[in-house]
Amino acid sequence: MQPRRQRLPAPWSGPRGPRPTAPLLALLLLLAPVAAPAGSGDPDDPGQPQDAGVPRRLLQQAARAALHFFNFRSGSPSALRVLAEVQEGRAWINPKEGCKVHVVFSTERYNPEEGEGRLGKCSARVFFKNQKPRPTINVTCTRLIEKKKRQQEDYLLYKQMKQLKNPLEIVSIPDNHGHIDPSLRLIWDLAFLGSSYVMWEMTTQVSHYYLAQLTSVRQWKTNDDTIDFDYTVLLHELSTQEIIPCRIHLVWYPGKPLKVKYHCQELQTPEEASGTEEGSAVVPTELSNF
Amino acid sequence: MQGTPGGGTRPGPSPVDRRTLLVFSFILAAALGQMNFTGDQVLRVLAKDEKQLSLLGDLEGLKPQKVDFWRGPARPSLPVDMRVPFSELKDIKAYLESHGLAYSIMIKDIQVLLDEERQAMAKSRRLERSTNSFSYSSYHTLEEIYSWIDNFVMEHSDIVSKIQIGNSFENQSILVLKFSTGGSRHPAIWIDTGIHSREWITHATGIWTANKIVSDYGKDRVLTDILNAMDIFIELVTNPDGFAFTHSMNRLWRKNKSIRPGIFCIGVDLNRNWKSGFGGNGSNSNPCSETYHGPSPQSEPEVAAIVNFITAHGNFKALISIHSYSQMLMYPYGRSLDPVSNQRELYDLAKDAVEALYKVHGIEYIFGSISTTLYVASGITVDWAYDSGIKYAFSFELRDTGQYGFLLPATQIIPTAQETWMALRTIMEHTLNHPY
């Protein structure tokens, strides 16, 4: 299969579509490595539309989806990462199958410590099946924090959670002014971890999610040593601008795979009250060895 | 622009400071019991094995108590933090050393730390209590903003005036600030913030910007030149009903609050209600949708007010609509992938503006046309402005890129406003130097 670089005819998403180069998979190589400078491509051909901006957005969204998956799989609220910068990437779009993205990006810790400016690097292959959620993700990242340190911090978080007094009097995190009380930070981090699973599962080529706010939290007593939480979050979907409430149930123990069950509301139409999206997961038995 | 600069480029969440948590409880204890911790230290001990761990545990059991564990003995390899009163320091350190327990001094003198913390807390309380001064680094209610507008206009009546351009659906006044050094119908620049009510950082940025303009006039050569030749109009609360709702009931409300008979859901997306590609892709005909375009172009009083004002004025040369979040600077079109005729010029201008922004705090914005940078959206403000002959039409998406999203902490208001100002200034300067 010989992928070939080609300048796209205008407009790129026109009726004719890509020219197949091989029987199995029609490939259209959109863009070679995207350089670091922020921008949306070269407008040197004023006659052509700005197609370079599309892959850039796609690369960012693929990187974020990969990070949702990575964070969830790590099962560690102390090792959460966020996207720092997309460094390079390529995309292949097959109108019948979907969209494959290979992206290299830098990350930083969600909770950087004093003076810590370290960046990790990740490489990911993200496959968005046509309009279907749960993109297939293959992601590896360089280590950002020492395994021992991460375990220590997870364990500390665990102990602090066990000591929380229930019922928790939480209104919302962050509050409406964006503030997260330091003593509530641990709750937010764990919620973010659980939400990562939900956001990954719901992501499609066009739908991309952010965690907007945590609106209620309830911790359950357990017979074993696990942490058991029920909480509701508001997710923000970018392309539709919708706010989606989800109920998430999470069971966690440091070092063990994360268990998540969730139930999200769908958009209200004038006729029906609400639909639901449900899902649950236990991390597959692969080892996380960061 | 190279990769992400280290340190404070990505204003993320504040770091977990468990020590502060513990110290606060100490302050409370000290305040209540008037205890004194002068000379007390916190030692961090690392036990190598279970045997050493149990030695530490023995300390815990001593009566009278000689140490106070902040982080108790749990497992070897996990640090143990203990507060040791000044009077016991010598004995405890001897104990540790004789048993080969490695330790380090985490806090040399607790009282010093407590005093510092107490001072910091008192200081911030003083700032909050200071009345009569509007805080540019906080978020405000509709009433507070409207009240500030009246004060502001009064204090700077030589350059600023207030114009009511219409009424919202719930009959709230729609206000615009006019910055002018005189003349009749100078070419003008339009800036709006808050068209989507949940984007609180935009109103806050607009207010800071208004103040910046009056402060810098006569001092900053570029701004002074701009204002001497052109007028600036700023609509701070473009969606007053929605904004009030974000304070009272739903912090994440986006649309206006219009109600129509027989329609179950409330509100129209004001940034889909403009007469430019109305009803096309990237807008929704479902009234319950966040991007509901409304029954017809300009059906919403908040949009109609602006259209009427700008059309009647007839001499606007630039329009800038400010949103959040995503960190982007964009130009038309949103409704299609087609480039505008002066795309090259807008691309270059956006590039310059984003570089000027970056120089302030190292925050990276991406830029390009709306449809290729963000998404396809129809019936939007800047498309209408461009189609109406306003060549320099831009849309901002301010901080951040999703960590806090709409709930951007108030601590980021001023940095955001400072960097955005440099981009605005760049655009306004270009508009001044390229009359048409």
Side-chain angles (χ1 to χ4, degrees), chain B residues 353-363 365 396 419-420 422-423:
Chain B
V354 154
E355 268 174 35
L357 185 152
Y358 174 80
K359 288 205 177 97
V360 183
H361 296 299
I363 298 298
Y365 270 52
F396 277 81
E419 68 200 13
T420 307
M422 293 311 291

Side-chain angles (χ1 to χ4, degrees), chain B residues 194-250:
Chain B
I195 197 169
H196 291 135
S197 38
R198 61 192 180 196
E199 298 164 7
W200 280 16
I201 185 59
T202 68
H203 318 77
T205 296
I207 294 168
W208 185 94
T209 303
N211 189 51
K212 179 71 170 167
I213 291 173
V214 301
S215 309
D216 273 15
Y217 179 70
K219 299 196 186 99
D220 170 26
R221 190 194 55 79
V222 169
L223 174 71
T224 307
D225 287 348
I226 292 167
L227 257 186
N228 284 343
M230 305 180 77
D231 293 344
I232 301 173
F233 293 82
I234 301 184
E235 183 177 352
L236 290 173
V237 192
T238 307
N239 179 4
D241 299 347
F243 186 61
F245 200 57
T246 59
H247 278 274
S248 64
M249 291 290 288
N250 183 345

